[in-house]
Amino acid sequence: MKHLSSVWRIRLFFWTLIILLRLFIRAPYDFMAFNTFLGYVPIELTFHLKRFNDRRALAFWALLIIWLIFYPNAPYVMTDLFHLSWLHAHTSINGILRSDPVIWLNFAMIMVCALSCLLIGTVTLEQTARQLTRLTSPQQPRLRYLWITIFMVLASIGIYIGRFLRLHSIYLLFTPTWFFRQLWSIWSVKMIEFVGILTILQLIVYWLLKVCQHFNIEENK
């Protein structure tokens, strides 16, 4: 594995994970393979964005828009943790958990899917923000933090659309007019509160990743 790049390690990890989900996870969690695949798509798109080093390249902007459409699927997977309630893991009202291996397998797989899509998705989001800043405002590298925040706000809106309107990113590509009509109906105080909470959550995850990164750098000095 040493000769494999980080990109290919991530690819093999997600491909293996999706195959395992298809083979071993049954209803009611059989949707996890599809959700994880959608969460992996923006991660893969980030790998291809790196090929473009010219802001005048139309392909870069087209791919960036597609990435932005699909990116909410990465943090979206963390909301699937609510489905852990379907496991009915408690033996009784006293809070003791059952030791059924099937329950713990489903728990482990859902946790792996949620963490991998959220964490790796956040890392690739930062890479995209860095690249966008480098191509558009190379003299202002800190502008990437603004892009990161904007992308996270848009991702939170996308999560709301997916979770409460049950719309996937793919609908925007094939039925954009209908999709935008649905979009007009979502704005409310509760929706804005949801977006704020999910944005703060993503920013905290990003901050924790940066803290871990700096801690590792300091330890290696």
Side-chain angles (χ1 to χ4, degrees):
M1 290 290 289
K2 290 184 178 180
H3 65 283
L4 288 178
S5 67
S6 297
V7 168
W8 275 102
R9 290 182 184 183
I10 291 172
R11 282 174 175 156
L12 289 175
F13 168 79
F14 274 102
W15 294 347
T16 302
L17 177 60
I18 292 169
I19 291 172
L20 290 175
L21 288 168
R22 289 291 297 167
L23 291 176
F24 297 108
I25 302 302
R26 298 289 181 264
Y29 295 113
D30 48 345
F31 64 88
M32 285 304 301
F34 182 62
N35 282 6
T36 303
F37 169 75
L38 289 177
Y40 163 68
V41 168
I43 295 171
E44 179 65 33
L45 290 174
T46 301
F47 300 152
H48 296 280
L49 272 170
K50 294 179 181 179
R51 299 179 181 179
F52 300 96
N53 292 312
D54 189 348
R55 66 180 181 181
R56 295 169 297 182
L58 180 60
F60 167 76
W61 294 105
L63 193 58
L64 180 65
I65 291 173
I66 296 173
W67 171 85
L68 188 58
I69 291 173
F70 278 93
Y71 177 74
N73 293 302
Y76 175 90
V77 181
M78 68 178 171
T79 65
D80 286 325
L81 292 175
F82 280 102
H83 298 316
L84 289 173
S85 62
W86 295 347
L87 291 174
H88 302 294
H90 294 92
T91 58
S92 62
I93 60 174
N94 59 13
I96 297 176
L97 297 174
R98 293 158 56 192
S99 59
D100 184 347
V102 174
I103 289 177
W104 290 101
L105 174 62
N106 285 324
F107 169 81
M109 294 298 284
I110 293 173
M111 287 296 298
V112 169
C113 294
L115 290 174
S116 58
C117 288
L118 176 61
L119 297 180
I120 299 178
T122 301
V123 172
T124 56
L125 177 144
E126 183 190 29
Q127 292 176 348
T128 301
R130 281 180 178 273
Q131 182 178 4
L132 181 60
T133 303
R134 187 172 63 251
L135 293 180
T136 58
S137 307
Q139 305 302 322
Q140 297 176 306
R142 292 186 178 276
L143 192 61
R144 70 182 184 274
Y145 296 119
L146 176 61
W147 286 118
I148 288 170
T149 303
I150 290 173
F151 291 153
M152 287 182 175
V153 170
L154 293 176
S156 298
I157 295 173
I159 294 170
Y160 185 92
I161 293 170
R163 182 51 68 190
F164 299 106
L165 297 186
R166 307 306 298 169
L167 300 179
H168 289 293
S169 300
I170 198 168
Y171 294 149
L172 181 56
L173 295 178
F174 292 103
T175 57
T177 302
W178 176 80
F179 185 91
F180 282 112
R181 281 204 304 267
Q182 299 299 311
L183 196 59
W184 285 118
S185 66
I186 68 173
W187 301 97
S188 66
V189 173
K190 288 186 177 180
M191 179 268 187
I192 294 173
E193 291 173 345
F194 175 91
V195 169
I197 292 170
L198 267 291
T199 299
I200 292 171
L201 174 58
Q202 291 178 80
L203 287 170
I204 290 173
V205 170
Y206 172 72
W207 178 79
L208 289 173
L209 287 172
K210 298 300 289 184
V211 168
C212 292
Q213 180 184 7
H214 292 153
F215 177 78
N216 185 53
I217 293 173
E218 292 172 358
E219 286 292 302
N220 291 329
K221 286 183 178 179

Short mmCIF file of all heavy atoms in Angstrom, two decimals, residues 117-175:
data_model
loop_
_atom_site.label_atom_id
_atom_site.label_comp_id
_atom_site.label_asym_id
_atom_site.label_seq_id
_atom_site.Cartn_x
_atom_site.Cartn_y
_atom_site.Cartn_z
N CYS A 117 -17.42 10.07 5.03
CA CYS A 117 -17.96 11.10 4.11
C CYS A 117 -17.80 12.49 4.70
O CYS A 117 -17.42 13.44 3.99
CB CYS A 117 -19.42 10.81 3.80
SG CYS A 117 -19.70 9.39 2.72
N LEU A 118 -18.05 12.63 6.01
CA LEU A 118 -17.97 13.95 6.65
C LEU A 118 -16.52 14.43 6.72
O LEU A 118 -16.21 15.56 6.32
CB LEU A 118 -18.57 13.88 8.05
CG LEU A 118 -18.46 15.17 8.89
CD1 LEU A 118 -19.19 16.32 8.22
CD2 LEU A 118 -19.00 14.92 10.30
N LEU A 119 -15.62 13.57 7.21
CA LEU A 119 -14.24 14.00 7.44
C LEU A 119 -13.47 14.19 6.13
O LEU A 119 -12.85 15.24 5.91
CB LEU A 119 -13.52 12.99 8.34
CG LEU A 119 -14.10 12.84 9.76
CD1 LEU A 119 -13.31 11.80 10.54
CD2 LEU A 119 -14.11 14.17 10.49
N ILE A 120 -13.53 13.19 5.26
CA ILE A 120 -12.81 13.31 3.98
C ILE A 120 -13.46 14.38 3.12
O ILE A 120 -12.78 15.13 2.41
CB ILE A 120 -12.76 11.95 3.26
CG1 ILE A 120 -12.00 10.94 4.13
CG2 ILE A 120 -12.06 12.09 1.90
CD1 ILE A 120 -11.93 9.55 3.54
N GLY A 121 -14.79 14.48 3.19
CA GLY A 121 -15.48 15.53 2.46
C GLY A 121 -15.04 16.91 2.92
O GLY A 121 -14.84 17.81 2.10
N THR A 122 -14.86 17.10 4.22
CA THR A 122 -14.42 18.38 4.76
C THR A 122 -13.00 18.72 4.30
O THR A 122 -12.69 19.87 3.95
CB THR A 122 -14.48 18.39 6.29
OG1 THR A 122 -15.82 18.12 6.72
CG2 THR A 122 -14.04 19.73 6.86
N VAL A 123 -12.13 17.72 4.28
CA VAL A 123 -10.76 17.93 3.82
C VAL A 123 -10.75 18.35 2.35
O VAL A 123 -10.04 19.28 1.96
CB VAL A 123 -9.91 16.66 4.02
CG1 VAL A 123 -8.54 16.81 3.35
CG2 VAL A 123 -9.73 16.37 5.51
N THR A 124 -11.54 17.66 1.53
CA THR A 124 -11.56 18.00 0.10
C THR A 124 -12.25 19.35 -0.14
O THR A 124 -11.92 20.05 -1.09
CB THR A 124 -12.26 16.91 -0.72
OG1 THR A 124 -13.59 16.67 -0.20
CG2 THR A 124 -11.48 15.60 -0.66
N LEU A 125 -13.19 19.71 0.73
CA LEU A 125 -13.80 21.05 0.63
C LEU A 125 -12.74 22.12 0.83
O LEU A 125 -12.69 23.11 0.10
CB LEU A 125 -14.92 21.20 1.65
CG LEU A 125 -15.60 22.58 1.71
CD1 LEU A 125 -17.08 22.42 1.99
CD2 LEU A 125 -14.98 23.47 2.79
N GLU A 126 -11.88 21.93 1.83
CA GLU A 126 -10.81 22.91 2.06
C GLU A 126 -9.88 22.97 0.86
O GLU A 126 -9.45 24.06 0.44
CB GLU A 126 -10.01 22.57 3.31
CG GLU A 126 -8.96 23.64 3.59
CD GLU A 126 -7.97 23.24 4.67
OE1 GLU A 126 -7.72 22.04 4.83
OE2 GLU A 126 -7.42 24.14 5.32
N GLN A 127 -9.56 21.82 0.26
CA GLN A 127 -8.69 21.81 -0.90
C GLN A 127 -9.32 22.58 -2.06
O GLN A 127 -8.64 23.33 -2.77
CB GLN A 127 -8.40 20.36 -1.32
CG GLN A 127 -7.54 19.61 -0.32
CD GLN A 127 -7.34 18.16 -0.69
OE1 GLN A 127 -8.01 17.63 -1.59
NE2 GLN A 127 -6.42 17.49 -0.03
N THR A 128 -10.62 22.40 -2.24
CA THR A 128 -11.32 23.13 -3.30
C THR A 128 -11.31 24.62 -3.04
O THR A 128 -11.09 25.43 -3.95
CB THR A 128 -12.78 22.63 -3.41
OG1 THR A 128 -12.78 21.22 -3.70
CG2 THR A 128 -13.52 23.37 -4.51
N ALA A 129 -11.54 25.01 -1.78
CA ALA A 129 -11.53 26.43 -1.42
C ALA A 129 -10.13 27.02 -1.62
O ALA A 129 -9.99 28.17 -2.08
CB ALA A 129 -11.97 26.61 0.03
N ARG A 130 -9.10 26.27 -1.28
CA ARG A 130 -7.73 26.74 -1.49
C ARG A 130 -7.44 26.94 -2.97
O ARG A 130 -6.84 27.95 -3.38
CB ARG A 130 -6.74 25.73 -0.91
CG ARG A 130 -6.57 25.79 0.60
CD ARG A 130 -5.56 24.75 1.06
NE ARG A 130 -5.35 24.79 2.48
CZ ARG A 130 -4.46 25.57 3.09
NH1 ARG A 130 -3.71 26.38 2.35
NH2 ARG A 130 -4.31 25.56 4.41
N GLN A 131 -7.87 25.97 -3.78
CA GLN A 131 -7.61 26.07 -5.21
C GLN A 131 -8.37 27.25 -5.82
O GLN A 131 -7.82 28.01 -6.63
CB GLN A 131 -8.01 24.78 -5.91
CG GLN A 131 -7.73 24.79 -7.41
CD GLN A 131 -8.09 23.49 -8.09
OE1 GLN A 131 -8.63 22.57 -7.46
NE2 GLN A 131 -7.82 23.39 -9.37
N LEU A 132 -9.61 27.42 -5.42
CA LEU A 132 -10.41 28.53 -5.94
C LEU A 132 -9.78 29.87 -5.56
O LEU A 132 -9.72 30.79 -6.38
CB LEU A 132 -11.84 28.44 -5.40
CG LEU A 132 -12.82 29.52 -5.86
CD1 LEU A 132 -12.97 29.50 -7.38
CD2 LEU A 132 -14.18 29.32 -5.19
N THR A 133 -9.31 29.97 -4.32
CA THR A 133 -8.67 31.20 -3.86
C THR A 133 -7.36 31.45 -4.61
O THR A 133 -7.06 32.58 -5.00
CB THR A 133 -8.40 31.13 -2.34
OG1 THR A 133 -9.63 30.89 -1.65
CG2 THR A 133 -7.79 32.43 -1.85
N ARG A 134 -6.60 30.39 -4.81
CA ARG A 134 -5.31 30.52 -5.50
C ARG A 134 -5.49 30.99 -6.94
O ARG A 134 -4.69 31.77 -7.47
CB ARG A 134 -4.57 29.19 -5.48
CG ARG A 134 -3.16 29.25 -6.03
CD ARG A 134 -2.42 27.95 -5.81
NE ARG A 134 -3.03 26.83 -6.50
CZ ARG A 134 -3.68 25.85 -5.92
NH1 ARG A 134 -3.82 25.83 -4.60
NH2 ARG A 134 -4.21 24.86 -6.61
N LEU A 135 -6.57 30.53 -7.58
CA LEU A 135 -6.80 30.88 -8.98
C LEU A 135 -7.45 32.25 -9.15
O LEU A 135 -7.25 32.91 -10.17
CB LEU A 135 -7.68 29.82 -9.65
CG LEU A 135 -7.07 28.42 -9.81
CD1 LEU A 135 -8.05 27.48 -10.49
CD2 LEU A 135 -5.76 28.47 -10.58
N THR A 136 -8.23 32.68 -8.16
CA THR A 136 -8.98 33.94 -8.31
C THR A 136 -8.38 35.09 -7.50
O THR A 136 -8.46 36.24 -7.92
CB THR A 136 -10.44 33.74 -7.89
OG1 THR A 136 -10.50 33.30 -6.53
CG2 THR A 136 -11.13 32.72 -8.79
N SER A 137 -7.83 34.78 -6.31
CA SER A 137 -7.29 35.84 -5.44
C SER A 137 -5.99 35.37 -4.79
O SER A 137 -5.93 35.19 -3.56
CB SER A 137 -8.31 36.22 -4.36
OG SER A 137 -9.56 36.55 -4.92
N PRO A 138 -4.96 35.14 -5.58
CA PRO A 138 -3.71 34.59 -5.03
C PRO A 138 -3.05 35.49 -3.99
O PRO A 138 -2.29 35.00 -3.15
CB PRO A 138 -2.81 34.45 -6.27
CG PRO A 138 -3.39 35.39 -7.27
CD PRO A 138 -4.86 35.40 -7.02
N GLN A 139 -3.35 36.79 -4.00
CA GLN A 139 -2.76 37.71 -3.04
C GLN A 139 -3.50 37.72 -1.70
O GLN A 139 -3.05 38.36 -0.75
CB GLN A 139 -2.75 39.13 -3.63
CG GLN A 139 -2.06 39.25 -4.98
CD GLN A 139 -0.61 38.79 -4.92
OE1 GLN A 139 0.08 39.03 -3.93
NE2 GLN A 139 -0.17 38.11 -5.97
N GLN A 140 -4.64 37.02 -1.65
CA GLN A 140 -5.43 36.98 -0.42
C GLN A 140 -5.75 35.53 -0.04
O GLN A 140 -6.89 35.08 -0.15
CB GLN A 140 -6.73 37.77 -0.60
CG GLN A 140 -6.50 39.26 -0.88
CD GLN A 140 -7.79 39.99 -1.14
OE1 GLN A 140 -8.60 39.62 -2.01
NE2 GLN A 140 -8.03 41.07 -0.39
N PRO A 141 -4.76 34.78 0.42
CA PRO A 141 -4.97 33.36 0.72
C PRO A 141 -6.00 33.09 1.81
O PRO A 141 -6.65 32.05 1.81
CB PRO A 141 -3.57 32.89 1.15
CG PRO A 141 -2.86 34.14 1.58
CD PRO A 141 -3.38 35.22 0.69
N ARG A 142 -6.16 34.06 2.73
CA ARG A 142 -7.14 33.87 3.81
C ARG A 142 -8.59 33.94 3.31
O ARG A 142 -9.51 33.60 4.05
CB ARG A 142 -6.92 34.90 4.92
CG ARG A 142 -5.62 34.70 5.68
CD ARG A 142 -5.50 35.65 6.85
NE ARG A 142 -4.29 35.42 7.60
CZ ARG A 142 -4.17 34.50 8.57
NH1 ARG A 142 -5.22 33.76 8.90
NH2 ARG A 142 -3.03 34.35 9.20
N LEU A 143 -8.75 34.35 2.08
CA LEU A 143 -10.10 34.39 1.51
C LEU A 143 -10.70 32.99 1.42
O LEU A 143 -11.92 32.84 1.32
CB LEU A 143 -10.05 35.02 0.11
CG LEU A 143 -11.40 35.40 -0.53
CD1 LEU A 143 -12.12 36.43 0.32
CD2 LEU A 143 -11.19 35.92 -1.95
N ARG A 144 -9.85 31.98 1.50
CA ARG A 144 -10.36 30.60 1.44
C ARG A 144 -11.32 30.31 2.59
O ARG A 144 -12.24 29.49 2.46
CB ARG A 144 -9.21 29.59 1.47
CG ARG A 144 -8.47 29.48 2.78
CD ARG A 144 -7.31 28.48 2.67
NE ARG A 144 -6.63 28.27 3.93
CZ ARG A 144 -5.65 29.03 4.40
NH1 ARG A 144 -5.25 30.08 3.68
NH2 ARG A 144 -5.07 28.75 5.56
N TYR A 145 -11.12 30.97 3.74
CA TYR A 145 -12.02 30.75 4.87
C TYR A 145 -13.43 31.25 4.56
O TYR A 145 -14.41 30.67 5.03
CB TYR A 145 -11.47 31.44 6.13
CG TYR A 145 -10.16 30.87 6.59
CD1 TYR A 145 -9.02 31.67 6.64
CD2 TYR A 145 -10.04 29.54 6.96
CE1 TYR A 145 -7.80 31.15 7.06
CE2 TYR A 145 -8.84 29.00 7.37
CZ TYR A 145 -7.72 29.82 7.42
OH TYR A 145 -6.52 29.31 7.83
N LEU A 146 -13.52 32.32 3.79
CA LEU A 146 -14.83 32.80 3.36
C LEU A 146 -15.49 31.79 2.43
O LEU A 146 -16.69 31.49 2.58
CB LEU A 146 -14.69 34.15 2.66
CG LEU A 146 -15.99 34.73 2.07
CD1 LEU A 146 -17.02 34.96 3.16
CD2 LEU A 146 -15.70 36.03 1.31
N TRP A 147 -14.71 31.26 1.49
CA TRP A 147 -15.25 30.25 0.58
C TRP A 147 -15.69 29.01 1.34
O TRP A 147 -16.73 28.42 1.06
CB TRP A 147 -14.22 29.88 -0.49
CG TRP A 147 -14.03 30.91 -1.55
CD1 TRP A 147 -12.89 31.60 -1.85
CD2 TRP A 147 -15.03 31.37 -2.49
NE1 TRP A 147 -13.10 32.47 -2.89
CE2 TRP A 147 -14.41 32.35 -3.30
CE3 TRP A 147 -16.36 31.07 -2.70
CZ2 TRP A 147 -15.09 33.01 -4.34
CZ3 TRP A 147 -17.05 31.74 -3.72
CH2 TRP A 147 -16.41 32.68 -4.51
N ILE A 148 -14.89 28.59 2.32
CA ILE A 148 -15.23 27.42 3.12
C ILE A 148 -16.57 27.64 3.82
O ILE A 148 -17.44 26.76 3.82
CB ILE A 148 -14.12 27.12 4.15
CG1 ILE A 148 -12.88 26.55 3.44
CG2 ILE A 148 -14.61 26.13 5.21
CD1 ILE A 148 -11.66 26.45 4.33
N THR A 149 -16.74 28.81 4.42
CA THR A 149 -17.99 29.11 5.12
C THR A 149 -19.17 29.15 4.15
O THR A 149 -20.24 28.59 4.44
CB THR A 149 -17.88 30.46 5.85
OG1 THR A 149 -16.76 30.43 6.74
CG2 THR A 149 -19.15 30.75 6.64
N ILE A 150 -18.98 29.78 2.99
CA ILE A 150 -20.05 29.84 1.99
C ILE A 150 -20.44 28.44 1.53
O ILE A 150 -21.63 28.10 1.44
CB ILE A 150 -19.62 30.70 0.79
CG1 ILE A 150 -19.52 32.17 1.19
CG2 ILE A 150 -20.61 30.54 -0.38
CD1 ILE A 150 -18.93 33.07 0.11
N PHE A 151 -19.45 27.61 1.25
CA PHE A 151 -19.73 26.25 0.81
C PHE A 151 -20.47 25.45 1.88
O PHE A 151 -21.35 24.65 1.57
CB PHE A 151 -18.42 25.53 0.44
CG PHE A 151 -17.75 26.06 -0.80
CD1 PHE A 151 -16.38 25.96 -0.96
CD2 PHE A 151 -18.49 26.66 -1.81
CE1 PHE A 151 -15.76 26.44 -2.11
CE2 PHE A 151 -17.88 27.15 -2.95
CZ PHE A 151 -16.50 27.03 -3.11
N MET A 152 -20.11 25.69 3.14
CA MET A 152 -20.77 24.96 4.22
C MET A 152 -22.21 25.42 4.41
O MET A 152 -23.09 24.61 4.70
CB MET A 152 -19.97 25.12 5.52
CG MET A 152 -18.68 24.33 5.54
SD MET A 152 -17.79 24.50 7.10
CE MET A 152 -16.44 23.34 6.83
N VAL A 153 -22.45 26.72 4.24
CA VAL A 153 -23.83 27.22 4.31
C VAL A 153 -24.66 26.60 3.20
O VAL A 153 -25.79 26.12 3.42
CB VAL A 153 -23.86 28.76 4.20
CG1 VAL A 153 -25.30 29.26 4.03
CG2 VAL A 153 -23.24 29.40 5.44
N LEU A 154 -24.12 26.60 1.98
CA LEU A 154 -24.83 26.00 0.85
C LEU A 154 -25.04 24.51 1.06
O LEU A 154 -26.09 23.96 0.71
CB LEU A 154 -24.05 26.25 -0.45
CG LEU A 154 -23.96 27.72 -0.90
CD1 LEU A 154 -23.08 27.84 -2.13
CD2 LEU A 154 -25.35 28.29 -1.20
N ALA A 155 -24.04 23.84 1.66
CA ALA A 155 -24.18 22.41 1.96
C ALA A 155 -25.30 22.17 2.97
O ALA A 155 -26.07 21.21 2.84
CB ALA A 155 -22.86 21.85 2.48
N SER A 156 -25.40 23.05 3.95
CA SER A 156 -26.45 22.92 4.97
C SER A 156 -27.83 23.09 4.34
O SER A 156 -28.79 22.38 4.70
CB SER A 156 -26.25 23.95 6.08
OG SER A 156 -25.02 23.73 6.74
N ILE A 157 -27.94 24.03 3.41
CA ILE A 157 -29.20 24.19 2.67
C ILE A 157 -29.50 22.93 1.88
O ILE A 157 -30.63 22.44 1.84
CB ILE A 157 -29.13 25.42 1.74
CG1 ILE A 157 -29.01 26.70 2.56
CG2 ILE A 157 -30.38 25.49 0.84
CD1 ILE A 157 -28.77 27.95 1.72
N GLY A 158 -28.46 22.37 1.25
CA GLY A 158 -28.64 21.13 0.50
C GLY A 158 -29.06 19.98 1.37
O GLY A 158 -29.90 19.15 0.98
N ILE A 159 -28.50 19.90 2.58
CA ILE A 159 -28.89 18.85 3.52
C ILE A 159 -30.36 19.00 3.90
O ILE A 159 -31.10 18.01 3.98
CB ILE A 159 -28.00 18.88 4.78
CG1 ILE A 159 -26.56 18.53 4.41
CG2 ILE A 159 -28.52 17.91 5.84
CD1 ILE A 159 -25.56 18.77 5.54
N TYR A 160 -30.78 20.22 4.14
CA TYR A 160 -32.19 20.47 4.47
C TYR A 160 -33.10 20.01 3.34
O TYR A 160 -34.12 19.35 3.56
CB TYR A 160 -32.40 21.96 4.75
CG TYR A 160 -33.80 22.29 5.22
CD1 TYR A 160 -34.09 22.34 6.57
CD2 TYR A 160 -34.83 22.56 4.31
CE1 TYR A 160 -35.38 22.64 7.02
CE2 TYR A 160 -36.11 22.86 4.74
CZ TYR A 160 -36.37 22.90 6.08
OH TYR A 160 -37.66 23.17 6.52
N ILE A 161 -32.71 20.36 2.11
CA ILE A 161 -33.51 19.96 0.94
C ILE A 161 -33.59 18.44 0.85
O ILE A 161 -34.65 17.86 0.61
CB ILE A 161 -32.90 20.55 -0.35
CG1 ILE A 161 -33.03 22.07 -0.35
CG2 ILE A 161 -33.55 19.95 -1.59
CD1 ILE A 161 -32.26 22.75 -1.47
N GLY A 162 -32.45 17.78 1.03
CA GLY A 162 -32.42 16.33 0.93
C GLY A 162 -33.15 15.63 2.05
O GLY A 162 -33.84 14.63 1.84
N ARG A 163 -33.02 16.17 3.27
CA ARG A 163 -33.60 15.49 4.42
C ARG A 163 -35.09 15.74 4.56
O ARG A 163 -35.85 14.82 4.93
CB ARG A 163 -32.87 15.96 5.69
CG ARG A 163 -33.32 15.31 6.97
CD ARG A 163 -33.33 13.81 6.87
NE ARG A 163 -32.00 13.22 6.77
CZ ARG A 163 -31.81 11.94 6.48
NH1 ARG A 163 -32.85 11.14 6.26
NH2 ARG A 163 -30.59 11.45 6.39
N PHE A 164 -35.56 16.96 4.23
CA PHE A 164 -36.96 17.29 4.47
C PHE A 164 -37.81 17.34 3.20
O PHE A 164 -39.02 17.13 3.27
CB PHE A 164 -37.06 18.62 5.23
CG PHE A 164 -36.40 18.58 6.58
CD1 PHE A 164 -35.19 19.21 6.80
CD2 PHE A 164 -36.96 17.88 7.63
CE1 PHE A 164 -34.56 19.16 8.03
CE2 PHE A 164 -36.36 17.81 8.87
CZ PHE A 164 -35.14 18.46 9.07
N LEU A 165 -37.20 17.63 2.06
CA LEU A 165 -37.93 17.57 0.80
C LEU A 165 -37.66 16.27 0.05
O LEU A 165 -38.30 16.00 -0.97
CB LEU A 165 -37.54 18.76 -0.10
CG LEU A 165 -37.88 20.16 0.41
CD1 LEU A 165 -37.55 21.20 -0.66
CD2 LEU A 165 -39.33 20.26 0.81
N ARG A 166 -36.69 15.49 0.57
CA ARG A 166 -36.33 14.20 -0.02
C ARG A 166 -35.88 14.37 -1.47
O ARG A 166 -36.20 13.56 -2.34
CB ARG A 166 -37.49 13.21 0.05
CG ARG A 166 -38.08 13.02 1.43
CD ARG A 166 -37.04 12.65 2.46
NE ARG A 166 -36.41 11.36 2.15
CZ ARG A 166 -35.31 10.89 2.77
NH1 ARG A 166 -34.72 11.64 3.67
NH2 ARG A 166 -34.82 9.73 2.42
N LEU A 167 -35.12 15.42 -1.74
CA LEU A 167 -34.59 15.68 -3.08
C LEU A 167 -33.10 15.40 -3.09
O LEU A 167 -32.38 15.83 -2.19
CB LEU A 167 -34.85 17.12 -3.51
CG LEU A 167 -36.30 17.59 -3.56
CD1 LEU A 167 -36.37 19.05 -3.98
CD2 LEU A 167 -37.10 16.73 -4.54
N HIS A 168 -32.64 14.70 -4.11
CA HIS A 168 -31.21 14.45 -4.28
C HIS A 168 -30.62 15.44 -5.27
O HIS A 168 -31.33 16.02 -6.11
CB HIS A 168 -30.96 13.02 -4.77
CG HIS A 168 -31.23 11.98 -3.72
ND1 HIS A 168 -30.47 11.85 -2.59
CD2 HIS A 168 -32.18 11.01 -3.65
CE1 HIS A 168 -30.94 10.85 -1.85
NE2 HIS A 168 -31.97 10.33 -2.47
N SER A 169 -29.30 15.60 -5.20
CA SER A 169 -28.60 16.53 -6.10
C SER A 169 -28.85 16.20 -7.56
O SER A 169 -28.88 17.09 -8.41
CB SER A 169 -27.09 16.48 -5.81
OG SER A 169 -26.83 16.86 -4.48
N ILE A 170 -29.03 14.93 -7.84
CA ILE A 170 -29.17 14.51 -9.23
C ILE A 170 -30.42 15.11 -9.88
O ILE A 170 -30.47 15.31 -11.10
CB ILE A 170 -29.19 12.96 -9.31
CG1 ILE A 170 -28.89 12.50 -10.74
CG2 ILE A 170 -30.51 12.40 -8.79
CD1 ILE A 170 -28.61 11.02 -10.84
N TYR A 171 -31.45 15.45 -9.05
CA TYR A 171 -32.66 16.07 -9.59
C TYR A 171 -32.36 17.43 -10.20
O TYR A 171 -33.02 17.84 -11.17
CB TYR A 171 -33.72 16.23 -8.49
CG TYR A 171 -34.27 14.93 -7.95
CD1 TYR A 171 -34.70 14.82 -6.63
CD2 TYR A 171 -34.35 13.81 -8.76
CE1 TYR A 171 -35.20 13.63 -6.13
CE2 TYR A 171 -34.85 12.62 -8.26
CZ TYR A 171 -35.27 12.53 -6.95
OH TYR A 171 -35.76 11.36 -6.46
N LEU A 172 -31.38 18.14 -9.61
CA LEU A 172 -31.04 19.46 -10.13
C LEU A 172 -30.46 19.37 -11.53
O LEU A 172 -30.65 20.27 -12.35
CB LEU A 172 -30.04 20.13 -9.19
CG LEU A 172 -29.58 21.55 -9.55
CD1 LEU A 172 -30.77 22.48 -9.70
CD2 LEU A 172 -28.63 22.08 -8.49
N LEU A 173 -29.80 18.26 -11.85
CA LEU A 173 -29.20 18.09 -13.18
C LEU A 173 -30.25 17.73 -14.23
O LEU A 173 -30.15 18.16 -15.38
CB LEU A 173 -28.11 17.00 -13.13
CG LEU A 173 -26.88 17.31 -12.26
CD1 LEU A 173 -25.94 16.12 -12.29
CD2 LEU A 173 -26.18 18.57 -12.73
N PHE A 174 -31.26 16.95 -13.82
CA PHE A 174 -32.21 16.43 -14.81
C PHE A 174 -33.54 17.18 -14.83
O PHE A 174 -34.21 17.22 -15.88
CB PHE A 174 -32.46 14.94 -14.55
CG PHE A 174 -31.25 14.08 -14.82
CD1 PHE A 174 -30.49 13.59 -13.78
CD2 PHE A 174 -30.87 13.78 -16.12
CE1 PHE A 174 -29.37 12.81 -14.02
CE2 PHE A 174 -29.75 13.01 -16.38
CZ PHE A 174 -29.00 12.52 -15.32
N THR A 175 -33.95 17.75 -13.70
CA THR A 175 -35.21 18.51 -13.66
C THR A 175 -35.00 19.82 -12.93
O THR A 175 -35.60 20.06 -11.86
CB THR A 175 -36.32 17.69 -12.97
OG1 THR A 175 -35.86 17.32 -11.64
CG2 THR A 175 -36.65 16.44 -13.76
#
